């Protein structure tokens, strides 16, 4: 899996490699990147990846502008890591892949592993020469599921047959006992619950809680296959806004090599506010 996952040791050995750009992607940089970060790592706050007007990702031209300003070129090996066990790092990985960046990887364990291993940190914010980044392709089809697609699969009875919906939120969110985890207290929905037929496998079951690193492939395979998430099915993951769903998408697609996995990034913040949408608790 070296093409998509690198170790903390590899990152430390490549801190000053001009062919590598280390990027921290955070939900809240004030409590993460600003306090300390991997030396020579640049910051991308997750909201920088969001469209400035509508709920969507930034357009390809704006992605080009952002990468150019950050000093990232098309030829760089981009290594992503971040807070919350790489929630938003995998979210960014998903976008980099959709916009055709050929060499993007995740640092296993994120900030948690780096800190626990006592590796060097910095508060200095590096600056790299501006580049002329170009989006080489836009490919959402194999990565992103839209509301209308998920709704059709639910209404046509495809869920739990040839399609598996994986709700990666906490059990309390899945059951409808709460409508937002503590991290998203300001992101409420009108109703709680889950999409009919979805199974609940919280994203955190895929990582070691002590190190933040991904569990071994054989452990992950048992976890998902025992719940009916098998590679012969189409898999769609969702959470609240897509970042935890991207984490599970990464596990299924790149660690377990499932052929058909997509993220419904509209997730519960879309479904739970939609008038007339079917809901289970």
């Amino acid at each position: 899996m070296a093409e998509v996952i690198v170790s903390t040791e590899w990152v430390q050995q490549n801190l000053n490699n001009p062919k590598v750009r280390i990027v921290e992607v955070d939900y809240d940089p004030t409590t993460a990147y600003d306090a300390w970060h991997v030396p020579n790592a640049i910051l991308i706050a997750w909201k920088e990846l969001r469209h400035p007007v509508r709920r969507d990702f930034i357009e390809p031209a704006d992605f080009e502008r952002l990468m150019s300003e950050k000093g990232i070129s098309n030829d760089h090996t981009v290594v992503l890591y971040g807070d919350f066990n790489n929630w938003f790092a995998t979210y960014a990985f998903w976008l980099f892949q959709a916009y055709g960046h050929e060499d993007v990887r995740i640092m296993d364990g994120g900030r948690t592993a780096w800190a626990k291993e006592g590796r060097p940190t910095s508060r200095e914010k590096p600056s790299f020469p501006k580049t002329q980044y170009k989006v080489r392709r836009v490919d959402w089809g194999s990565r992103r599921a839209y509301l209308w697609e998920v709704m059709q699969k639910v209404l046509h009875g495809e869920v739990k047959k040839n399609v598996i919906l994986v709700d990666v939120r906490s059990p309390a969110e899945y059951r409808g006992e709460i409508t937002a985890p503590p991290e998203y207290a300001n992101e409420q929905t009108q109703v709680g619950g889950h999409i009919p037929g979805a199974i609940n496998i919280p994203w955190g079951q895929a990582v070691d809680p002590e190190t933040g690193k991904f569990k071994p492939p054989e452990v992950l395979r048992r976890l998902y296959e025992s719940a009916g998430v098998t590679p012969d099915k189409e898999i769609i993951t969702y959470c609240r806004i897509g970042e935890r769903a991207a984490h599970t998408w990464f596990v299924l697609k790149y660690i377990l090599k499932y052929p058909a996995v997509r993220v419904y990034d509209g997730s519960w913040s879309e479904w739970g506010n939609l008038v007339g949408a079917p809901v289970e608790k």
Side-chain angles (χ1 to χ4, degrees):
M1 295 177 290
E3 72 276 9
V4 291
I5 299 177
V6 294
S7 66
T8 50
E9 178 63 28
W10 187 95
V11 173
Q12 186 167 344
Q13 292 173 355
N14 286 273
L15 292 178
N16 298 302
N17 186 339
K19 296 181 179 180
V20 175
R21 284 287 181 268
I22 304 167
V23 181
E24 179 165 324
V25 188
D26 290 332
Y27 175 68
D28 183 6
T30 62
T31 61
Y33 183 88
D34 292 348
W36 66 265
H37 50 264
V38 173
N40 262 346
I42 58 178
L43 170 69
I44 294 180
W46 79 277
K47 289 186 177 179
E48 292 184 89
L49 304 175
R50 305 300 298 170
H51 195 281
V53 178
R54 65 179 187 268
R55 189 186 166 194
D56 207 342
F57 291 96
I58 56 177
E59 297 284 355
D62 293 320
F63 187 81
E64 291 176 342
R65 190 176 304 112
L66 179 65
M67 294 301 104
S68 298
E69 291 172 353
K70 298 288 184 181
I72 297 172
S73 74
N74 292 87
D75 297 328
H76 274 123
T77 295
V78 175
V79 177
L80 304 167
Y81 77 97
D83 55 3
F84 292 108
N85 293 108
N86 282 334
W87 281 4
F88 289 95
T90 51
Y91 190 67
F93 180 99
W94 184 60
L95 182 60
F96 269 82
Q97 286 274 304
Y99 281 169
H101 195 89
E102 300 297 339
D103 190 358
V104 57
R105 312 180 192 191
I106 294 292
M107 183 179 81
D108 198 9
R111 288 175 59 86
T112 299
W114 192 270
K116 289 195 171 184
E117 293 167 4
R119 298 189 183 276
T121 62
S122 173
R123 296 186 68 179
E124 181 181 349
K125 299 179 180 179
S127 178
F128 296 105
K130 189 174 181 179
T131 65
Q132 294 295 319
Y133 191 95
K134 294 295 179 184
V135 170
R136 289 173 171 163
R137 69 174 183 273
V138 178
D139 177 14
W140 283 120
S142 63
R143 294 173 175 82
R144 191 179 201 183
Y146 293 92
L147 169 66
W148 64 268
E149 295 179 275
V150 179
M151 185 66 75
Q152 282 190 343
K153 293 178 187 299
V154 170
L155 297 179
H156 292 169
E158 297 179 48
V159 178
K160 287 189 175 179
K161 293 179 180 177
N162 56 324
V163 177
I164 304 295
L165 292 180
V166 183
D167 185 323
V168 311
R169 298 174 300 161
S170 67
E173 290 172 271
Y174 176 80
R175 291 192 296 263
E177 296 166 3
I178 60 175
T179 56
E183 297 87 356
Y184 300 134
N186 64 333
E187 291 185 7
Q188 299 293 334
T189 56
Q190 292 296 306
V191 298
H194 58 269
I195 299 174
I199 60 174
N200 184 217
I201 306 178
W203 72 274
Q205 293 186 22
V207 298
D208 184 322
E210 294 300 317
T211 66
K213 295 182 180 180
F214 295 111
K215 291 179 179 178
E218 61 273 16
V219 175
L220 294 171
R221 195 172 303 281
R222 286 196 300 271
L223 168 67
Y224 292 102
E225 290 190 355
S226 66
V229 183
T230 53
D232 61 311
K233 304 290 197 305
E234 178 187 4
I235 312 299
I236 298 175
T237 65
Y238 77 91
C239 57
R240 276 194 57 75
I241 60 172
E243 86 301 351
R244 289 176 287 175
H247 190 280
T248 297
W249 165 84
F250 182 88
V251 169
L252 293 171
K253 186 173 180 66
Y254 290 98
I255 298 180
L256 297 183
K257 309 294 186 182
Y258 278 33
V261 190
R262 292 188 291 166
V263 175
Y264 167 40
D265 61 299
S267 286
W268 197 252
S269 61
E270 180 174 54
W271 194 279
N273 281 312
L274 190 68
V275 174
V279 171
E280 285 183 350
K281 288 193 176 183

PDB file of all heavy atoms in Angstrom, residues 43-63:
ATOM      1  N   LEU A  43      -0.369  24.110   5.662  1.00  0.00           N
ATOM      2  CA  LEU A  43      -1.735  23.914   6.154  1.00  0.00           C
ATOM      3  C   LEU A  43      -2.761  24.100   5.042  1.00  0.00           C
ATOM      4  O   LEU A  43      -2.691  25.058   4.270  1.00  0.00           O
ATOM      5  CB  LEU A  43      -2.039  24.917   7.269  1.00  0.00           C
ATOM      6  CG  LEU A  43      -3.505  24.988   7.724  1.00  0.00           C
ATOM      7  CD1 LEU A  43      -3.913  23.711   8.459  1.00  0.00           C
ATOM      8  CD2 LEU A  43      -3.734  26.219   8.613  1.00  0.00           C
ATOM      9  N   ILE A  44      -3.719  23.178   5.001  1.00  0.00           N
ATOM     10  CA  ILE A  44      -4.943  23.389   4.247  1.00  0.00           C
ATOM     11  C   ILE A  44      -6.084  23.173   5.231  1.00  0.00           C
ATOM     12  O   ILE A  44      -6.322  22.041   5.674  1.00  0.00           O
ATOM     13  CB  ILE A  44      -5.091  22.434   3.048  1.00  0.00           C
ATOM     14  CG1 ILE A  44      -4.019  22.705   2.001  1.00  0.00           C
ATOM     15  CG2 ILE A  44      -6.479  22.589   2.417  1.00  0.00           C
ATOM     16  CD1 ILE A  44      -4.106  21.799   0.769  1.00  0.00           C
ATOM     17  N   ALA A  45      -6.750  24.242   5.623  1.00  0.00           N
ATOM     18  CA  ALA A  45      -7.935  24.101   6.459  1.00  0.00           C
ATOM     19  C   ALA A  45      -9.039  23.503   5.595  1.00  0.00           C
ATOM     20  O   ALA A  45      -9.188  23.869   4.425  1.00  0.00           O
ATOM     21  CB  ALA A  45      -8.360  25.453   7.016  1.00  0.00           C
ATOM     22  N   TRP A  46      -9.823  22.597   6.154  1.00  0.00           N
ATOM     23  CA  TRP A  46     -10.776  21.863   5.323  1.00  0.00           C
ATOM     24  C   TRP A  46     -11.755  22.789   4.603  1.00  0.00           C
ATOM     25  O   TRP A  46     -12.190  22.488   3.491  1.00  0.00           O
ATOM     26  CB  TRP A  46     -11.532  20.832   6.160  1.00  0.00           C
ATOM     27  CG  TRP A  46     -12.656  21.362   6.988  1.00  0.00           C
ATOM     28  CD1 TRP A  46     -12.568  21.934   8.213  1.00  0.00           C
ATOM     29  CD2 TRP A  46     -14.039  21.370   6.643  1.00  0.00           C
ATOM     30  NE1 TRP A  46     -13.808  22.303   8.667  1.00  0.00           N
ATOM     31  CE2 TRP A  46     -14.738  21.970   7.728  1.00  0.00           C
ATOM     32  CE3 TRP A  46     -14.772  20.938   5.543  1.00  0.00           C
ATOM     33  CZ2 TRP A  46     -16.120  22.146   7.721  1.00  0.00           C
ATOM     34  CZ3 TRP A  46     -16.149  21.118   5.538  1.00  0.00           C
ATOM     35  CH2 TRP A  46     -16.811  21.711   6.613  1.00  0.00           C
ATOM     36  N   LYS A  47     -12.044  23.940   5.204  1.00  0.00           N
ATOM     37  CA  LYS A  47     -12.995  24.846   4.561  1.00  0.00           C
ATOM     38  C   LYS A  47     -12.402  25.515   3.322  1.00  0.00           C
ATOM     39  O   LYS A  47     -13.145  26.052   2.501  1.00  0.00           O
ATOM     40  CB  LYS A  47     -13.476  25.891   5.563  1.00  0.00           C
ATOM     41  CG  LYS A  47     -14.396  25.292   6.625  1.00  0.00           C
ATOM     42  CD  LYS A  47     -15.000  26.344   7.533  1.00  0.00           C
ATOM     43  CE  LYS A  47     -15.966  25.708   8.521  1.00  0.00           C
ATOM     44  NZ  LYS A  47     -16.567  26.692   9.449  1.00  0.00           N
ATOM     45  N   GLU A  48     -11.093  25.471   3.173  1.00  0.00           N
ATOM     46  CA  GLU A  48     -10.481  25.982   1.945  1.00  0.00           C
ATOM     47  C   GLU A  48     -10.850  25.120   0.742  1.00  0.00           C
ATOM     48  O   GLU A  48     -10.717  25.559  -0.402  1.00  0.00           O
ATOM     49  CB  GLU A  48      -8.960  26.043   2.083  1.00  0.00           C
ATOM     50  CG  GLU A  48      -8.450  27.062   3.073  1.00  0.00           C
ATOM     51  CD  GLU A  48      -6.938  27.127   3.084  1.00  0.00           C
ATOM     52  OE1 GLU A  48      -6.365  27.905   2.294  1.00  0.00           O
ATOM     53  OE2 GLU A  48      -6.324  26.396   3.888  1.00  0.00           O
ATOM     54  N   LEU A  49     -11.289  23.895   1.006  1.00  0.00           N
ATOM     55  CA  LEU A  49     -11.676  22.984  -0.070  1.00  0.00           C
ATOM     56  C   LEU A  49     -13.143  23.114  -0.441  1.00  0.00           C
ATOM     57  O   LEU A  49     -13.609  22.470  -1.375  1.00  0.00           O
ATOM     58  CB  LEU A  49     -11.384  21.533   0.346  1.00  0.00           C
ATOM     59  CG  LEU A  49      -9.939  21.230   0.755  1.00  0.00           C
ATOM     60  CD1 LEU A  49      -9.829  19.795   1.251  1.00  0.00           C
ATOM     61  CD2 LEU A  49      -8.979  21.480  -0.409  1.00  0.00           C
ATOM     62  N   ARG A  50     -13.877  23.963   0.289  1.00  0.00           N
ATOM     63  CA  ARG A  50     -15.296  24.122   0.064  1.00  0.00           C
ATOM     64  C   ARG A  50     -15.582  25.279  -0.889  1.00  0.00           C
ATOM     65  O   ARG A  50     -14.870  26.275  -0.921  1.00  0.00           O
ATOM     66  CB  ARG A  50     -16.015  24.383   1.396  1.00  0.00           C
ATOM     67  CG  ARG A  50     -15.764  23.349   2.462  1.00  0.00           C
ATOM     68  CD  ARG A  50     -16.214  21.985   2.042  1.00  0.00           C
ATOM     69  NE  ARG A  50     -17.649  21.921   1.797  1.00  0.00           N
ATOM     70  CZ  ARG A  50     -18.271  20.889   1.239  1.00  0.00           C
ATOM     71  NH1 ARG A  50     -17.581  19.846   0.832  1.00  0.00           N
ATOM     72  NH2 ARG A  50     -19.577  20.908   1.061  1.00  0.00           N
ATOM     73  N   HIS A  51     -16.654  25.135  -1.647  1.00  0.00           N
ATOM     74  CA  HIS A  51     -17.096  26.191  -2.558  1.00  0.00           C
ATOM     75  C   HIS A  51     -17.480  27.426  -1.750  1.00  0.00           C
ATOM     76  O   HIS A  51     -18.095  27.303  -0.681  1.00  0.00           O
ATOM     77  CB  HIS A  51     -18.292  25.698  -3.371  1.00  0.00           C
ATOM     78  CG  HIS A  51     -18.614  26.540  -4.558  1.00  0.00           C
ATOM     79  ND1 HIS A  51     -19.300  27.743  -4.450  1.00  0.00           N
ATOM     80  CD2 HIS A  51     -18.347  26.380  -5.885  1.00  0.00           C
ATOM     81  CE1 HIS A  51     -19.439  28.256  -5.648  1.00  0.00           C
ATOM     82  NE2 HIS A  51     -18.871  27.461  -6.536  1.00  0.00           N
ATOM     83  N   PRO A  52     -17.136  28.628  -2.227  1.00  0.00           N
ATOM     84  CA  PRO A  52     -17.404  29.834  -1.441  1.00  0.00           C
ATOM     85  C   PRO A  52     -18.877  30.223  -1.332  1.00  0.00           C
ATOM     86  O   PRO A  52     -19.241  31.022  -0.468  1.00  0.00           O
ATOM     87  CB  PRO A  52     -16.619  30.921  -2.185  1.00  0.00           C
ATOM     88  CG  PRO A  52     -16.502  30.420  -3.579  1.00  0.00           C
ATOM     89  CD  PRO A  52     -16.367  28.926  -3.456  1.00  0.00           C
ATOM     90  N   VAL A  53     -19.740  29.665  -2.185  1.00  0.00           N
ATOM     91  CA  VAL A  53     -21.153  30.057  -2.180  1.00  0.00           C
ATOM     92  C   VAL A  53     -22.064  28.881  -1.844  1.00  0.00           C
ATOM     93  O   VAL A  53     -22.818  28.921  -0.875  1.00  0.00           O
ATOM     94  CB  VAL A  53     -21.562  30.684  -3.528  1.00  0.00           C
ATOM     95  CG1 VAL A  53     -23.049  31.034  -3.535  1.00  0.00           C
ATOM     96  CG2 VAL A  53     -20.717  31.914  -3.814  1.00  0.00           C
ATOM     97  N   ARG A  54     -22.030  27.843  -2.659  1.00  0.00           N
ATOM     98  CA  ARG A  54     -22.940  26.720  -2.459  1.00  0.00           C
ATOM     99  C   ARG A  54     -22.252  25.593  -1.679  1.00  0.00           C
ATOM    100  O   ARG A  54     -21.037  25.604  -1.500  1.00  0.00           O
ATOM    101  CB  ARG A  54     -23.449  26.197  -3.791  1.00  0.00           C
ATOM    102  CG  ARG A  54     -22.374  25.580  -4.675  1.00  0.00           C
ATOM    103  CD  ARG A  54     -22.968  25.055  -5.971  1.00  0.00           C
ATOM    104  NE  ARG A  54     -21.985  24.322  -6.754  1.00  0.00           N
ATOM    105  CZ  ARG A  54     -21.215  24.857  -7.682  1.00  0.00           C
ATOM    106  NH1 ARG A  54     -21.319  26.161  -7.963  1.00  0.00           N
ATOM    107  NH2 ARG A  54     -20.349  24.124  -8.359  1.00  0.00           N
ATOM    108  N   ARG A  55     -23.062  24.656  -1.217  1.00  0.00           N
ATOM    109  CA  ARG A  55     -22.487  23.513  -0.529  1.00  0.00           C
ATOM    110  C   ARG A  55     -21.921  22.542  -1.553  1.00  0.00           C
ATOM    111  O   ARG A  55     -22.634  21.755  -2.170  1.00  0.00           O
ATOM    112  CB  ARG A  55     -23.534  22.801   0.341  1.00  0.00           C
ATOM    113  CG  ARG A  55     -22.840  21.747   1.205  1.00  0.00           C
ATOM    114  CD  ARG A  55     -23.769  20.879   1.988  1.00  0.00           C
ATOM    115  NE  ARG A  55     -22.996  19.736   2.475  1.00  0.00           N
ATOM    116  CZ  ARG A  55     -23.497  18.635   2.972  1.00  0.00           C
ATOM    117  NH1 ARG A  55     -24.802  18.508   3.078  1.00  0.00           N
ATOM    118  NH2 ARG A  55     -22.718  17.653   3.373  1.00  0.00           N
ATOM    119  N   ASP A  56     -20.625  22.614  -1.754  1.00  0.00           N
ATOM    120  CA  ASP A  56     -19.940  21.790  -2.752  1.00  0.00           C
ATOM    121  C   ASP A  56     -18.447  22.008  -2.577  1.00  0.00           C
ATOM    122  O   ASP A  56     -18.007  22.790  -1.721  1.00  0.00           O
ATOM    123  CB  ASP A  56     -20.380  22.207  -4.164  1.00  0.00           C
ATOM    124  CG  ASP A  56     -20.256  21.062  -5.170  1.00  0.00           C
ATOM    125  OD1 ASP A  56     -19.532  20.088  -4.872  1.00  0.00           O
ATOM    126  OD2 ASP A  56     -20.883  21.149  -6.241  1.00  0.00           O
ATOM    127  N   PHE A  57     -17.667  21.334  -3.396  1.00  0.00           N
ATOM    128  CA  PHE A  57     -16.229  21.547  -3.385  1.00  0.00           C
ATOM    129  C   PHE A  57     -15.855  22.720  -4.288  1.00  0.00           C
ATOM    130  O   PHE A  57     -16.635  23.132  -5.150  1.00  0.00           O
ATOM    131  CB  PHE A  57     -15.501  20.278  -3.845  1.00  0.00           C
ATOM    132  CG  PHE A  57     -15.603  19.156  -2.868  1.00  0.00           C
ATOM    133  CD1 PHE A  57     -16.560  18.173  -3.012  1.00  0.00           C
ATOM    134  CD2 PHE A  57     -14.756  19.097  -1.770  1.00  0.00           C
ATOM    135  CE1 PHE A  57     -16.673  17.145  -2.091  1.00  0.00           C
ATOM    136  CE2 PHE A  57     -14.851  18.079  -0.847  1.00  0.00           C
ATOM    137  CZ  PHE A  57     -15.810  17.104  -1.009  1.00  0.00           C
ATOM    138  N   ILE A  58     -14.664  23.251  -4.075  1.00  0.00           N
ATOM    139  CA  ILE A  58     -14.197  24.319  -4.944  1.00  0.00           C
ATOM    140  C   ILE A  58     -14.076  23.810  -6.378  1.00  0.00           C
ATOM    141  O   ILE A  58     -13.815  22.640  -6.622  1.00  0.00           O
ATOM    142  CB  ILE A  58     -12.844  24.902  -4.468  1.00  0.00           C
ATOM    143  CG1 ILE A  58     -11.770  23.804  -4.359  1.00  0.00           C
ATOM    144  CG2 ILE A  58     -13.005  25.627  -3.151  1.00  0.00           C
ATOM    145  CD1 ILE A  58     -10.394  24.347  -3.969  1.00  0.00           C
ATOM    146  N   GLU A  59     -14.290  24.711  -7.312  1.00  0.00           N
ATOM    147  CA  GLU A  59     -14.205  24.367  -8.724  1.00  0.00           C
ATOM    148  C   GLU A  59     -12.759  24.047  -9.106  1.00  0.00           C
ATOM    149  O   GLU A  59     -11.820  24.461  -8.406  1.00  0.00           O
ATOM    150  CB  GLU A  59     -14.705  25.541  -9.573  1.00  0.00           C
ATOM    151  CG  GLU A  59     -16.172  25.903  -9.344  1.00  0.00           C
ATOM    152  CD  GLU A  59     -17.118  24.931 -10.017  1.00  0.00           C
ATOM    153  OE1 GLU A  59     -16.649  24.035 -10.737  1.00  0.00           O
ATOM    154  OE2 GLU A  59     -18.336  25.071  -9.816  1.00  0.00           O
ATOM    155  N   PRO A  60     -12.568  23.315 -10.204  1.00  0.00           N
ATOM    156  CA  PRO A  60     -11.203  22.990 -10.624  1.00  0.00           C
ATOM    157  C   PRO A  60     -10.277  24.202 -10.722  1.00  0.00           C
ATOM    158  O   PRO A  60      -9.119  24.132 -10.306  1.00  0.00           O
ATOM    159  CB  PRO A  60     -11.412  22.332 -11.991  1.00  0.00           C
ATOM    160  CG  PRO A  60     -12.754  21.681 -11.871  1.00  0.00           C
ATOM    161  CD  PRO A  60     -13.572  22.629 -11.048  1.00  0.00           C
ATOM    162  N   ALA A  61     -10.768  25.325 -11.248  1.00  0.00           N
ATOM    163  CA  ALA A  61      -9.923  26.518 -11.374  1.00  0.00           C
ATOM    164  C   ALA A  61      -9.491  27.036 -10.007  1.00  0.00           C
ATOM    165  O   ALA A  61      -8.353  27.499  -9.835  1.00  0.00           O
ATOM    166  CB  ALA A  61     -10.659  27.613 -12.141  1.00  0.00           C
ATOM    167  N   ASP A  62     -10.381  26.961  -9.030  1.00  0.00           N
ATOM    168  CA  ASP A  62     -10.040  27.405  -7.682  1.00  0.00           C
ATOM    169  C   ASP A  62      -9.107  26.417  -7.001  1.00  0.00           C
ATOM    170  O   ASP A  62      -8.256  26.802  -6.196  1.00  0.00           O
ATOM    171  CB  ASP A  62     -11.309  27.596  -6.848  1.00  0.00           C
ATOM    172  CG  ASP A  62     -12.151  28.747  -7.363  1.00  0.00           C
ATOM    173  OD1 ASP A  62     -11.572  29.782  -7.747  1.00  0.00           O
ATOM    174  OD2 ASP A  62     -13.390  28.613  -7.404  1.00  0.00           O
ATOM    175  N   PHE A  63      -9.264  25.132  -7.295  1.00  0.00           N
ATOM    176  CA  PHE A  63      -8.328  24.126  -6.781  1.00  0.00           C
ATOM    177  C   PHE A  63      -6.932  24.389  -7.352  1.00  0.00           C
ATOM    178  O   PHE A  63      -5.939  24.317  -6.623  1.00  0.00           O
ATOM    179  CB  PHE A  63      -8.805  22.726  -7.159  1.00  0.00           C
ATOM    180  CG  PHE A  63      -8.002  21.609  -6.546  1.00  0.00           C
ATOM    181  CD1 PHE A  63      -8.241  21.207  -5.239  1.00  0.00           C
ATOM    182  CD2 PHE A  63      -7.026  20.955  -7.280  1.00  0.00           C
ATOM    183  CE1 PHE A  63      -7.509  20.166  -4.667  1.00  0.00           C
ATOM    184  CE2 PHE A  63      -6.287  19.913  -6.724  1.00  0.00           C
ATOM    185  CZ  PHE A  63      -6.532  19.514  -5.421  1.00  0.00           C
TER     186      PHE A  63
END
